[in-house]
Amino acid sequence: MTLRLHDTLERRQVDFTPVDPDGPVTFYTCGPTVYDYAHIGNFRSFLNADVLRRTLEFLGHEVRHVMNITDVGHMTEDGVADGGGEDKMAVAGRRLLESKKSGTLPDDVEIDPTDPLAIADFYAAAFIEDARLLGLTVVEDADADPTLMPRPTQWVDEMIALIERLIEGGNAYVGGDGAVYFSVTSFPDYGRLSGNSLEGLKEGEGGRVNEANQAAKRHPADFLLWKPDATHLMRWPSPWGEGYPGWHLECSAMALGLLAPSEGEHAGTIDIHSGGEDNIFPHHECEIAQSCAATGASRFARYWFHTRHLVVEGEKMSKSRGNFFTVRDILARGATPAALRLELVRTHYRQNANFTLQGLRDCGRMVDRWCRLRDALEAGRVVAGEGPGPLESAIPAFTEAISDDLNLARAIGVLNEAVSAGRVDEDAIGDPDRAAAELAALRRMDHVLGVLDRNEAPTSDADDDLAIEVESRIVARSEAKSRKDWAAADAIRDELAAMGVAIKDGPEGTTWSRIVE
């Protein structure tokens, strides 16, 4: 079955076809900036990229997936195309130094706050540990091939070479302040991904222009490629003086160097580029401009995949609100990695997701139920029957759901219905061959979800089939609404109310809660 995927650049769903039908799908993900622990909003984006990668594998594709770990150049004012403020690694060093002086630095943080590479190494290791717990496949790949998780500090020479190509091609210039800028007027498609116009950017639309260096540039929207600065915390020699690269440059250099063909019809083009929706502008817009200008390719990435934001209990995540969570915070509350992973991916990636503790608990119970069935199937306990079992029979509908722009809500509904239909022989070995086939089907569907092997000590009580039933009914109601069968949708709402469940439709999808008398 062909994967239908929403492409941000085209603003519509399109059929996925790889650049090279005979080679691996080339996939680049913008990874973390390692100046602090990654929060669950960051991980929602990374996990959705992982689900896309797993879906491609489910559908029979080989995937070469690269995710960078940003250890330099990402500025505090990253909504401005040419960067502003200061390097986030410098901010991290100052924060850690203040904590060390005040005696509030956690015991597990043993870093020299004046060494940016030591800071990056510490938080990169923390990220990899969290990512491994949540099942990011790229981390497992990088154990065998570290180039799949590159760091910009190791790619500065390639960035300098890319700048030189852009200058030679007339797409970049040395400004009046000695910095090197990309000339946006040299690239007619600049703004196509984000929908920005050069005229709007010229007027400083949305605060997206750095006012501090306007006199040095040819156009207000021209963005930084190299900044000479002999006092910057992290700096390297270059033809334009000792300094540091612009923060968009790193991903172009690494994606082109590690994934894109260097010659032939598709030179300079990769299959998929992913990130959070906040990466669309300026980061990905600038990546497209500098990459295509350097290589002459018409597309840098054939498909752009962006995950929308995460809110917590209906509110923007904020430390001041007390609802700012890292992966470690959630696991410390007793949640399993499987429950957290499922809670972060079950809402469609193009909808804002509402993370709730109730939802986390419900996901935990759902995974527990799947794990109990897995354990029974591994023991061969299944009632004999004719033909394929319910899990085997669910594969086509599951495949159809995930092929529809990663419709995980529908896919989970399909799996839950199959699990409910599965008949297990609790007392004796039933039909081992049938159990093996059913187990293989369950494992195949879990390749996309990635939860069965990340669930600690599944519970033995089955008192929470309510959550499974509610999720299944919500999927059925959504399908009824898509058919404009309003009577059926209302009937399902009434059924849920009779079960003691209230549902609420919102921008992030349909949420539910138990009715309290």
Side-chain angles (χ1 to χ4, degrees):
M1 187 170 292
T2 300
L3 173 65
R4 295 278 294 171
L5 196 63
H6 186 273
D7 176 25
T8 306
L9 188 67
E10 296 292 337
R11 293 172 174 75
R12 62 186 176 91
Q13 274 195 34
V14 294
D15 288 344
F16 174 79
T17 55
V19 169
D20 180 1
D22 299 320
V25 172
T26 49
F27 187 175
Y28 187 90
T29 294
C30 280
T33 301
V34 285
Y35 70 105
D36 204 345
Y37 295 108
H39 57 68
I40 57 174
N42 302 139
F43 266 101
R44 182 182 188 230
S45 176
F46 304 144
L47 287 169
N48 274 313
D50 187 66
V51 167
L52 173 55
R53 180 250 176 87
R54 288 166 173 265
T55 296
L56 288 164
E57 292 173 337
F58 179 96
L59 296 173
H61 296 280
E62 180 188 352
V63 181
R64 178 170 171 81
H65 188 189
V66 170
M67 182 172 71
N68 68 299
I69 291 185
T70 299
D71 57 358
V72 65
H74 198 148
M75 311 304 283
T76 54
E77 296 175 17
D78 54 13
V80 177
D82 58 345
E86 58 184 322
D87 193 308
K88 289 187 176 182
M89 300 309 297
V91 175
R94 189 167 59 252
R95 183 187 70 240
L96 291 166
L97 189 59
E98 290 170 356
S99 298
K100 190 172 185 178
K101 288 179 179 178
S102 65
T104 59
L105 192 67
D107 292 338
D108 65 335
V109 180
E110 297 180 0
I111 321 172
D112 178 357
T114 65
D115 182 349
L117 292 179
I119 296 169
D121 285 345
F122 176 83
Y123 286 117
F127 171 79
I128 290 170
E129 182 180 343
D130 293 345
R132 197 183 302 279
L133 284 171
L134 294 183
L136 255 66
T137 323
V138 68
V139 173
E140 298 168 7
D141 289 350
D143 288 341
D145 182 359
T147 66
L148 298 177
M149 295 190 77
R151 301 193 187 187
T153 50
Q154 299 165 3
W155 282 77
V156 175
D157 288 345
E158 288 81 0
M159 293 184 221
I160 290 172
L162 189 57
I163 296 171
E164 290 175 330
R165 287 177 69 181
L166 292 170
I167 292 175
E168 289 169 7
N171 301 104
Y173 62 93
V174 178
D177 56 357
V180 185
Y181 295 98
F182 183 90
S183 173
V184 294
T185 57
S186 74
F187 187 72
D189 277 350
Y190 190 79
R192 183 182 166 198
L193 181 73
S194 60
N196 285 307
S197 69
L198 282 184
E199 191 58 36
L201 291 169
K202 183 176 181 180
E203 300 300 323
E205 190 178 76
R208 296 171 183 235
V209 169
N210 189 341
E211 299 294 340
N213 56 1
Q214 289 308 293
K217 300 193 293 184
R218 296 174 183 173
H219 188 284
D222 290 349
F223 58 87
L224 184 71
L225 297 175
W226 188 270
K227 175 72 171 177
D229 186 344
T231 64
H232 195 72
L233 181 65
M234 303 176 79
R235 56 190 185 273
W236 293 263
S238 84
W240 314 283
E242 190 175 50
Y244 60 93
W247 71 276
H248 313 298
L249 199 63
E250 60 189 55
C251 289
S252 288
M254 292 184 289
L256 290 173
L258 291 169
L259 294 174
S262 58
E263 55 186 27
E265 181 185 358
H266 300 294
T269 302
I270 65 173
D271 285 306
I272 304 172
H273 198 313
S274 75
E277 68 173 336
D278 55 327
N279 290 140
I280 295 174
F281 188 90
H283 188 46
H284 290 165
E285 193 76 78
C286 295
E287 276 190 63
I288 291 172
Q290 63 201 10
S291 300
C292 291
T295 65
S298 60
R299 297 279 291 247
F300 173 37
R302 287 167 65 96
Y303 306 93
W304 288 90
F305 177 89
H306 291 102
T307 293
R308 296 200 67 183
H309 291 302
L310 179 82
V311 297
V312 175
E313 305 288 354
E315 293 188 322
K316 183 177 180 179
M317 192 162 50
S318 165
K319 290 182 179 179
S320 63
R321 288 192 176 102
N323 66 351
F324 184 94
F325 297 121
T326 65
V327 169
R328 291 154 190 244
D329 294 332
I330 297 299
L331 298 184
R333 288 169 172 254
T336 65
L340 179 54
R341 180 183 170 101
L342 190 61
E343 171 68 359
L344 290 176
V345 301
R346 65 173 174 162
T347 299
H348 194 270
Y349 73 92
R350 288 196 298 113
Q351 293 180 329
N352 288 331
N354 184 26
F355 178 91
T356 68
L357 294 178
Q358 179 61 52
L360 184 67
R361 288 189 287 270
D362 292 336
C363 284
R365 287 186 283 260
M366 204 178 330
V367 178
D368 282 351
R369 186 169 182 252
W370 300 342
C371 286
R372 288 196 296 273
L373 178 58
R374 174 206 60 196
D375 293 346
L377 293 173
E378 286 179 344
R381 297 198 305 272
V382 65
V383 174
E386 296 296 325
L391 290 168
E392 273 193 281
S393 299
I395 292 290
F398 184 91
T399 304
E400 183 179 0
I402 61 171
S403 298
D404 180 18
D405 198 25
L406 308 188
N407 190 334
L408 279 199
R410 196 191 330 156
I412 290 168
V414 168
L415 175 57
N416 279 330
E417 287 183 12
V419 170
S420 295
R423 297 176 59 207
V424 172
D425 187 338
E426 297 289 354
D427 300 319
I429 297 296
D431 185 335
D433 291 339
R434 187 178 179 86
E438 287 288 85
L439 178 62
L442 178 62
R443 286 284 187 189
R444 188 171 176 215
M445 288 184 276
D446 182 62
H447 180 78
V448 174
L449 301 175
V451 295
L452 289 182
D453 294 330
R454 291 169 182 86
N455 198 46
E456 300 165 4
T459 59
S460 57
D461 18 9
D463 62 342
D464 253 308
D465 284 5
L466 173 65
I468 308 299
E469 176 63 18
V470 170
E471 293 288 345
S472 176
R473 301 307 294 150
I474 285 175
V475 170
R477 178 173 174 268
S478 176
E479 292 174 347
K481 290 172 70 177
S482 69
R483 300 192 306 269
K484 301 189 184 304
D485 189 347
W486 310 118
D490 290 344
I492 292 172
R493 179 187 286 273
D494 293 342
E495 289 173 18
L496 290 170
M499 293 164 57
V501 172
I503 60 175
K504 181 179 180 181
D505 296 321
E508 72 279 359
T510 301
T511 57
W512 65 277
S513 60
R514 292 178 176 84
I515 298 172
V516 179
E517 299 294 342

